[in-house]
Amino acid sequence: QLPRVRHIDEVEARSTPGSQVLIPLAGGGTETPDNETLKMMQDVAAVDGVDYFEMARSGMTDMGFTISGAYRPFLAEAADVELRHFDAVRGDEVMVADDHDKGLGIRGM
């Protein structure tokens, strides 16, 4: 079940917090505003021979498979986040190996 969405005008957009803004992901049942984002999504879909409007309307692509639509938050508000600090190196011992270390064959604990 997709959330109910509504388009807002520019005046209301200025007072709407980013946490209330949703980004449509291509697929059946999503509503996409007519703006630069829609144009970009159409262009990306067209590269693979997909009619974006048909896919958004029915979920069916020109290639014969369906895609379910979805929405993602533009901004997510973190809740119940716990941060822990650990040292990457303790003395001569590597505790957490980064990509450079891994390239040199050094593994973390």
Side-chain angles (χ1 to χ4, degrees), residues 26 41-56 60-65 67:
M41 293 169 86
Q42 288 176 293
D43 292 346
V44 169
V47 168
D48 291 321
V50 174
D51 179 326
Y52 181 83
F53 284 112
E54 179 61 23
M55 179 180 58
M60 178 66 74
T61 70
D62 298 334
M63 294 180 283
F65 58 87
I67 298 176

Side-chain angles (χ1 to χ4, degrees), residues 37-96:
T37 302
L38 173 60
K39 173 77 170 96
M40 185 263 318
M41 293 169 86
Q42 288 176 293
D43 292 346
V44 169
V47 168
D48 291 321
V50 174
D51 179 326
Y52 181 83
F53 284 112
E54 179 61 23
M55 179 180 58
R57 184 183 64 73
S58 67
M60 178 66 74
T61 70
D62 298 334
M63 294 180 283
F65 58 87
T66 60
I67 298 176
S68 299
Y71 295 98
R72 294 291 182 260
F74 176 67
L75 294 175
E77 293 183 36
D80 298 323
V81 175
E82 179 183 323
L83 299 176
R84 292 184 287 165
H85 168 82
F86 31 142
D87 297 323
V89 178
R90 187 176 296 151
D92 292 334
E93 189 175 16
V94 175
M95 304 303 287
V96 179

